[in-house]
PDB file of all heavy atoms in Angstrom:
ATOM      1  N   LEU A 292      81.985  94.539  90.110  1.00 98.00           N
ATOM      2  CA  LEU A 292      82.612  93.247  90.364  1.00 98.00           C
ATOM      3  C   LEU A 292      83.528  93.305  91.574  1.00 98.00           C
ATOM      4  O   LEU A 292      84.412  94.170  91.646  1.00 98.00           O
ATOM      5  CB  LEU A 292      83.416  92.797  89.139  1.00 98.00           C
ATOM      6  CG  LEU A 292      84.207  91.492  89.289  1.00 98.00           C
ATOM      7  CD1 LEU A 292      83.261  90.313  89.466  1.00 98.00           C
ATOM      8  CD2 LEU A 292      85.128  91.272  88.100  1.00 98.00           C
ATOM      9  N   GLY A 293      83.301  92.389  92.501  1.00 97.00           N
ATOM     10  CA  GLY A 293      84.226  92.213  93.615  1.00 97.00           C
ATOM     11  C   GLY A 293      85.029  90.966  93.320  1.00 97.00           C
ATOM     12  O   GLY A 293      84.447  89.894  93.198  1.00 97.00           O
ATOM     13  N   THR A 294      86.330  91.105  93.178  1.00 96.00           N
ATOM     14  CA  THR A 294      87.140  90.067  92.553  1.00 96.00           C
ATOM     15  C   THR A 294      87.614  88.964  93.478  1.00 96.00           C
ATOM     16  O   THR A 294      88.368  88.091  93.048  1.00 96.00           O
ATOM     17  CB  THR A 294      88.384  90.705  91.923  1.00 96.00           C
ATOM     18  OG1 THR A 294      89.129  91.342  92.965  1.00 96.00           O
ATOM     19  CG2 THR A 294      88.014  91.717  90.859  1.00 96.00           C
ATOM     20  N   GLY A 295      87.241  88.992  94.732  1.00 94.00           N
ATOM     21  CA  GLY A 295      87.694  87.929  95.624  1.00 94.00           C
ATOM     22  C   GLY A 295      89.189  88.047  95.883  1.00 94.00           C
ATOM     23  O   GLY A 295      89.714  89.128  96.053  1.00 94.00           O
ATOM     24  N   ALA A 296      89.863  86.926  95.839  1.00 90.00           N
ATOM     25  CA  ALA A 296      91.274  86.916  96.214  1.00 90.00           C
ATOM     26  C   ALA A 296      92.166  87.608  95.188  1.00 90.00           C
ATOM     27  O   ALA A 296      93.130  88.286  95.516  1.00 90.00           O
ATOM     28  CB  ALA A 296      91.742  85.476  96.410  1.00 90.00           C
ATOM     29  N   PHE A 297      91.855  87.405  93.945  1.00 90.00           N
ATOM     30  CA  PHE A 297      92.672  87.870  92.820  1.00 90.00           C
ATOM     31  C   PHE A 297      94.059  87.285  92.866  1.00 90.00           C
ATOM     32  O   PHE A 297      95.073  87.952  92.607  1.00 90.00           O
ATOM     33  CB  PHE A 297      92.721  89.396  92.733  1.00 90.00           C
ATOM     34  CG  PHE A 297      92.748  89.878  91.314  1.00 90.00           C
ATOM     35  CD1 PHE A 297      91.612  89.786  90.534  1.00 90.00           C
ATOM     36  CD2 PHE A 297      93.902  90.383  90.752  1.00 90.00           C
ATOM     37  CE1 PHE A 297      91.617  90.195  89.217  1.00 90.00           C
ATOM     38  CE2 PHE A 297      93.922  90.805  89.425  1.00 90.00           C
ATOM     39  CZ  PHE A 297      92.771  90.709  88.655  1.00 90.00           C
ATOM     40  N   SER A 298      94.094  86.049  93.205  1.00 84.00           N
ATOM     41  CA  SER A 298      95.340  85.297  93.138  1.00 84.00           C
ATOM     42  C   SER A 298      94.917  83.853  93.027  1.00 84.00           C
ATOM     43  O   SER A 298      93.735  83.538  93.111  1.00 84.00           O
ATOM     44  CB  SER A 298      96.182  85.508  94.390  1.00 84.00           C
ATOM     45  OG  SER A 298      95.477  85.015  95.502  1.00 84.00           O
ATOM     46  N   SER A 299      95.908  83.008  92.867  1.00 78.00           N
ATOM     47  CA  SER A 299      95.515  81.615  92.766  1.00 78.00           C
ATOM     48  C   SER A 299      96.622  80.721  93.268  1.00 78.00           C
ATOM     49  O   SER A 299      97.798  81.005  93.045  1.00 78.00           O
ATOM     50  CB  SER A 299      95.177  81.258  91.326  1.00 78.00           C
ATOM     51  OG  SER A 299      94.769  79.919  91.259  1.00 78.00           O
ATOM     52  N   SER A 300      96.216  79.665  93.915  1.00 69.00           N
ATOM     53  CA  SER A 300      97.218  78.688  94.322  1.00 69.00           C
ATOM     54  C   SER A 300      97.330  77.592  93.279  1.00 69.00           C
ATOM     55  O   SER A 300      98.168  76.720  93.374  1.00 69.00           O
ATOM     56  CB  SER A 300      96.834  78.098  95.678  1.00 69.00           C
ATOM     57  OG  SER A 300      95.501  77.675  95.631  1.00 69.00           O
TER      58      SER A 300
END
Side-chain angles (χ1 to χ4, degrees):
Chain A
L292 176 66
T294 60
F297 216 72
S298 63
S299 181
S300 50

